[in-house]
Amino acid sequence: MAKIAKQDVEKDVAVCYILEGEDGKVLGYFTLSSGSIPKEEIPEKESKKLPRYLDIPFAVIGRLAVDKKYQGRKLGDYLLVEALGEILKVAEVLGIAGVFVDPIDESAVNYYEKFGFIKLNSSDRMFLPIATIRALLKD
């Protein structure tokens, strides 16, 4: 687990989920935490479906990483789907409008767009509405 992710877990600001290989080696991981987005940052098409709160509650995928030795094997897709599944569990007991991520580069933006993530109005942050998550994981 990356040093920063470990610090986040130790400070109780994130929970880390680890994908281990048969030999116990960490193949990849993701972290989840809670957060919010100012409603004005959400594109109008989506924000008009939301209540009139100033800040809208969301889950956060803070980190999602695959060991370089194991990249190209769709493990990132697996981890993202697992993260979205965990977020749906949270949505059963806590009101959240979806999930947001902070892509580290344009490649990451393109990756998240494949899953339906939408850019916010004035930042690189992206979000996925809870209804979209439910539809993605319906099967």
Side-chain angles (χ1 to χ4, degrees):
M1 178 173 21
K3 183 178 179 181
I4 294 172
K6 184 178 179 188
Q7 290 173 354
D8 289 351
V9 170
E10 289 172 350
K11 294 177 182 176
D12 294 320
V13 297
V15 174
C16 187
Y17 296 80
I18 298 171
L19 175 61
E20 291 183 0
E22 290 180 15
D23 59 357
K25 178 160 176 48
V26 174
L27 307 180
Y29 69 95
F30 63 88
T31 63
L32 296 178
S33 58
S34 63
S36 65
I37 299 173
K39 187 173 181 187
E40 70 267 7
E41 291 296 312
I42 301 171
E44 185 177 349
K45 180 181 175 187
E46 295 298 326
S47 69
K48 68 182 179 183
K49 302 173 191 174
L50 298 170
R52 294 183 180 175
Y53 301 147
L54 294 176
D55 294 318
I56 305 298
F58 277 83
V60 181
I61 299 174
R63 310 207 184 284
L64 189 148
V66 174
D67 186 302
K68 287 182 181 180
K69 295 176 193 171
Y70 300 98
Q71 290 181 357
R73 299 181 189 184
K74 301 282 186 187
L75 294 178
D77 294 1
Y78 173 81
L79 288 169
L80 180 57
V81 169
E82 288 295 308
L84 296 177
E86 292 298 322
I87 289 163
L88 277 184
K89 291 177 191 175
V90 170
E92 292 176 11
V93 296
L94 185 68
I96 54 173
V99 61
F100 68 83
V101 295
D102 290 303
I104 59 172
D105 56 25
E106 196 60 34
S107 175
V109 168
N110 294 333
Y111 175 77
Y112 286 115
E113 283 177 340
K114 290 187 321 186
F115 289 90
F117 280 78
I118 303 163
K119 282 191 175 184
L120 294 181
N121 288 333
S122 64
S123 73
D124 292 333
R125 185 169 275 176
M126 301 176 79
F127 79 100
L128 190 64
I130 199 74
T132 304
I133 297 170
R134 285 187 181 109
L136 280 171
L137 300 183
K138 195 175 191 178
D139 297 329

